[in-house]
Every structure is written in C-alpha cells, then in structure tokens.
Amino acid sequence: MACYAALLHQPPASPSPCTSGRVGSCRVRPPPLLQRRAPPLSVRARISPRCSYAAAGESAGAGAGEQPAAALRRVLGTPGAHQAPACYDALSARLVERAGFRACFTSGFSISAARLGLPDVGLMSYGEMIDQGRLITEAVSIPVIGDADNGYGNCMNVKRTVKGFIKAGFAGIILEDQVSPKACGHTQGRKVVSREEAIMHIKAAVDARKESGSDIVIVARTDSRQALSLDEALWRARAFADAGADVLFIDALASREEMMVFCAVSPGVPKMANMLEGGGKTPILSPLELEEIGYKIIAYPLSLIGVSMRAMEDALVAIKGGRIPPPSSLPSFEEIKDTLGFNRYYEEEKRYVASPAQSSFGSGNYDCTSEASSSGDTKSRTEKSQEPIIDILPQLYDPGSAGGRGPSGGMWSRTLRLKITGRDGVQKIDARIPAGFLEGMTKVIPGLAGTNIMERLRNAPMDSDNPQNGQILLDFEDGRGDRIQVFIA
C-alpha cells in the first residue's frame, strides 16, 4: 500500500543471492499499518449482497456490516500464514467457507476450465470473470481475492477492471505483468511487459481504488522469474510495493532458497505463496514451513478443480458400468440439500405463508369452498350446497351511504352473494362478498378472465335505491363452463 512506500522505501537495486542473514529477516511481521483506514460510509463502494441460506455458523468471514476488503485486511493482520483455496464457482466457494477457511481466491485457470472447458491461455474475458466473480462473492461471506489476469489491457483498462471487481464484491484483486494473451505462469513461453508499464499498471490500480472510495487489497504479481530472471522478479516486487501494492507475489519460484530471498524484499509487505498442486515449478511446502520462510497467505489453485475432475471421471465410469458412485464418494441427498441451504430456505419461507383467507382467492384457483365443515362430516357434495352461507370478508363499505351507482353508494355498498357451480354440478363457492371486491376477483379467478363483472352489474336491471334480498343480478357461464350467479344478499 502507499504508506509502505514512505516508511519502508528501498531504492530498486539488483539483489544478491540469498544469504543466511537475509533469510533471518524474512520473518518480519506485517505492522499494524496493514489495517488501512476504511473510507467513510458515504463513499464506500456498493457491495454485492451475500446469500443467506448457508448453514448457520459455518462462516468465519466478514462480520455484520463489515466490508469485504476490511475483512481481508483483518485476516492478513492476524498471526500465521493463512491458507486460501482457490474456487471457480459459487458452489466451490461455499464449500471453502463451509470447511472453515477465512478467505479464498478465484482461479483463472479453474474458471477457464469450468466455464469454458478450455485452457488458461487468455481466452477468458473481463466480462466473463466479473460475471463469475459476482456469483462467487454473493454465495459466501468470507473475503474473496479475484484473479484479474493482466487487467485486460492498458492502464485505463486496469482502472476499469479494479472498479468492476470492487462492484462485484471482491475483497482483493490480483494483477500480473504478463503480455496478452496471458497464460498460467507455470506453463512455457511466458512473456512480461516492460518494467515501466508494469509499475504504471499498479499505480493505475491504486488510483482506481481511491476513486472508488474502496479499500480493496491489491495483490501485485510478477511472472518475470520464468520470463526473465530471479533478479528481475525481485526488482519488480520491490517496485510494486513502492507503487502502493498491498501484497506481493512472484509466481513460479523454483526453490526454497528463491522463496526466502523473495520474502526478504520490502519487509512488512505481506507475501503470497502459490502452491500449484500436481507438478508446478514451485516446491510444495506445509503452511508451517511457509510461515517460517515469511509468507502471509497461501493459495491452492488446482485442488478443487482437480479432485472434481477426477471424481466426475470416476462417477462416469461407474455409471457406464451400470452402477452408481459408492457411498464413500457420493454424499447423501440430505447432505447435498444441507450444503446448498435447502433447510435454511424452508425456514425462511415459512415467514411468508399466506393466511387461509388470502390463499383462497390469491392462489388463482377457486376449487376450495367456503362452507363450514366439521370433522366426521358425512354429507355429500350435493348436500353441502344447502349449508348456511358465511362471510369470508368483512363489510368494506358503509351500508348507510347515499344512493347512486358509485362504489360507495346504494346497492354498491351492499354485500352480494357470489355462487359458482362447476359444470359437473359441484358447488365451488357460495359466499358473501362486498360488491367492490368483485372487480378484483376477475383478476385472480381464472374462469372470470376477460369478464367485466362490474360492467355486467352496472347494466343489470334493478332498483338501486330499494334492492331486494335474494334478487338475482347475474347468471352466466364463464370461460370454463362454470355457472356464475350473483345475488343481493
């Protein structure tokens, strides 16, 4: 970050090979300055909402109201080297959080594999990464560090990328110095941009952060170790720290000794390790070993996508052989539902269950009747039609209002009797309804669709000033063949 440039400035110089004295300085802890002062609430960036259906108590991430970047800085400010597996979609991110990790990365390699089924050779676009990233950050509450490749262009593209990642809810962003098209740093043929352009990209990212009122953590990555030399990679790492980067990352370091030399650069600025599983160029070390060397955060880019690929292949072999995957490799249906949040969803859904009076009409189906019934009732459907009529809604209008055909006068303030008999002769509804309510019923009862029942009532021959109880106002068949009758109650 920018404050380190003033406090910990070291002029760029060609570093010498690792010595025992320099290795001893690798374990410098990040100072309290890592906890950047959060911008005022009025200028904080809009953050994507978090999903609320994860199992209760499974998150070790951001607290209530805490911004993602603040949560990540809090993690980086605590002792130890923090493991952060790389996810590639919302489900894998949910599993990382469920396992108790305090942060996670997105892997461009894995996202390219899962989303496109293609290699990580620069085919993923800015829009695709933002779209995938937003789904990931919305699925979890732990901070997510996003892989932004090389920023997708020049410095102006870098600024747009940083602002887009902030809006998508990322806590951190990784920016590298490869030329386009970029590719995995452990593959052949890596090339990097010039020193000057690489530094300007980091400065542009810092400016974009300031302009957004955000505190997103900027992880500056260089691929120059394989493209050029270790000395060049160390020079760039130091220059990135001076330009305002919060975390430094040299990809594809080839030995423990190189890792020690790297951790001696810009003491106090956290270092990121990349444990590329399955045969990358960097030695695979334990979290304790990496902490001893001086690393603060550890990425595991291929574990989740790799085991997923192998598990799917094994499952397909089993299915093709007429079997299903064994219980040891296949969670139960209940376990799957619990992981996805079905139970929490069902609990929340109960808060919005409609009352019987609401559901009888709001459901759009009027096959349920409003007659009174009791347990053990043995009357036939035909006999039910003779039961007393009941009010299903309170009186909505003043019966003593003045006459006229307005909705609050004369007969229109009266309660009407609505009777609906199915074409099979079975009575569906026999209830007292306020006259004004009938107009709304034409929108919720499918059989009345297209029937302007209020217009029919207005044109019905009657004495509005002296309505007679029992007088029939309407008697017709609706679009489904049901008989609709309206009486003065």
Side-chain angles (χ1 to χ4, degrees):
M1 70 187 72
C3 55
Y4 287 119
L7 294 176
L8 304 170
H9 176 72
Q10 298 180 24
S14 298
S16 59
C18 182
T19 64
S20 59
R22 297 188 73 177
V23 172
S25 67
C26 291
R27 296 193 62 203
V28 177
R29 298 290 186 194
L33 286 172
L34 183 62
Q35 302 293 336
R36 289 173 59 92
R37 194 169 188 177
L41 286 173
S42 59
V43 296
R44 288 184 186 174
R46 178 181 61 81
I47 301 300
S48 299
R50 304 301 192 217
C51 177
S52 60
Y53 303 131
E58 72 181 32
S59 173
E66 187 176 30
Q67 298 294 303
L72 178 57
R73 291 184 184 278
R74 175 168 52 79
V75 171
L76 293 175
T78 57
H82 302 287
Q83 297 171 287
C87 63
Y88 51 89
D89 60 11
L91 176 57
S92 58
R94 175 72 60 77
L95 294 174
V96 171
E97 179 177 38
R98 188 180 177 88
F101 291 96
R102 302 179 66 187
C104 70
F105 288 89
T106 63
S107 164
F109 186 106
S110 299
I111 291 176
S112 181
R115 185 176 175 114
L116 303 181
L118 294 173
D120 179 23
V121 289
L123 299 175
M124 287 290 295
S125 68
Y126 162 78
E128 289 170 316
M129 291 296 282
I130 285 288
D131 180 59
Q132 194 80 351
R134 183 177 292 108
L135 296 176
I136 290 170
T137 62
E138 289 178 354
V140 297
S141 61
I142 59 174
V144 182
I145 302 172
D147 184 352
D149 295 330
N150 56 7
Y152 308 101
N154 62 17
C155 288
M156 299 305 294
N157 293 102
V158 169
K159 293 185 71 173
R160 177 174 183 251
T161 298
V162 171
K163 293 177 180 180
F165 272 54
I166 291 170
K167 292 179 180 178
F170 283 104
I173 182 171
I174 303 174
L175 291 165
E176 61 196 58
D177 58 359
Q178 286 194 50
V179 300
S180 296
K182 59 84 56 188
C184 171
H186 292 251
T187 57
Q188 61 185 5
R190 297 303 94 232
K191 296 181 181 180
V192 294
V193 299
S194 67
R195 287 181 172 184
E196 295 75 17
E197 185 176 354
I199 295 170
M200 282 300 173
H201 281 189
I202 301 303
K203 290 183 177 180
V206 172
D207 288 344
R209 175 173 64 191
K210 293 178 181 178
E211 293 169 8
S212 299
S214 169
D215 203 26
I216 191 171
V217 174
I218 296 174
V219 181
R221 162 181 161 175
T222 179
D223 288 77
S224 54
R225 166 63 188 90
Q226 296 299 321
L228 299 172
S229 67
L230 175 62
D231 284 354
E232 178 66 19
L234 296 172
W235 190 97
R236 291 190 182 213
R238 186 180 295 110
F240 291 162
D242 293 342
D246 300 302
V247 177
L248 302 177
F249 171 29
I250 298 178
D251 198 21
L253 290 172
S255 68
R256 180 191 292 260
E257 290 69 30
E258 290 186 3
M259 298 164 78
M260 291 178 176
V261 174
F262 168 48
C263 286
V265 171
S266 299
V269 182
K271 309 302 190 299
M272 170 182 161
N274 187 30
M275 296 289 96
L276 186 73
E277 312 88 327
K281 298 182 180 297
T282 303
I284 301 297
L285 304 178
S286 70
L288 182 59
E289 290 175 306
L290 291 169
E291 180 184 1
E292 288 291 328
I293 291 174
Y295 284 100
K296 175 53 63 176
I297 190 164
I298 311 164
Y300 298 85
L302 300 184
S303 290
L304 297 188
I305 190 69
V307 299
S308 298
M309 291 169 64
R310 178 58 55 83
M312 286 189 283
E313 288 173 343
D314 291 345
L316 292 170
V317 169
I319 293 171
K320 193 171 184 179
R323 308 183 307 277
I324 63 172
S328 60
S329 63
L330 181 66
S332 68
F333 185 48
E334 288 302 318
E335 290 173 323
I336 293 174
K337 291 195 298 180
D338 184 58
T339 297
L340 297 176
F342 273 83
N343 295 330
R344 286 286 299 279
Y345 176 89
Y346 292 147
E347 287 301 314
E348 183 174 341
E349 185 183 36
K350 291 177 182 177
R351 294 164 48 190
Y352 306 103
V353 174
S355 66
Q358 291 173 313
S359 61
S360 62
F361 287 103
S363 65
N365 189 329
Y366 56 89
D367 286 341
C368 55
T369 66
S370 60
E371 294 90 337
S373 63
S374 60
S375 60
D377 184 5
T378 59
K379 293 183 178 181
S380 66
R381 286 188 171 183
T382 303
E383 291 174 319
K384 282 187 178 181
S385 63
Q386 305 302 320
E387 294 178 357
I389 305 167
I390 63 170
D391 288 317
I392 67 170
L393 291 171
Q395 186 74 33
L396 299 181
Y397 304 102
D398 179 9
S401 300
R405 292 205 173 200
S408 61
M411 193 282 301
W412 299 97
S413 66
R414 298 289 300 266
T415 298
L416 304 180
R417 177 186 173 189
L418 173 65
K419 184 176 180 180
I420 300 179
T421 306
R423 58 184 177 182
D424 55 1
V426 177
Q427 182 175 292
K428 295 184 175 182
I429 291 180
D430 193 348
R432 289 189 173 91
I433 304 293
F437 186 70
L438 288 176
E439 186 170 24
M441 289 184 63
T442 64
K443 301 177 181 178
V444 299
I445 299 180
L448 294 179
T451 300
N452 191 334
I453 193 168
M454 295 303 288
E455 186 63 28
R456 285 175 176 261
L457 284 172
R458 291 189 184 97
N459 295 331
M462 59 185 169
D463 184 352
S464 299
D465 296 327
N466 299 290
Q468 301 296 315
N469 289 352
Q471 178 184 344
I472 186 167
L473 302 178
L474 292 179
D475 189 348
F476 66 97
E477 288 189 357
D478 68 5
R480 302 199 312 184
D482 293 342
R483 185 179 184 186
I484 312 296
Q485 295 174 296
V486 180
F487 307 84
I488 297 177

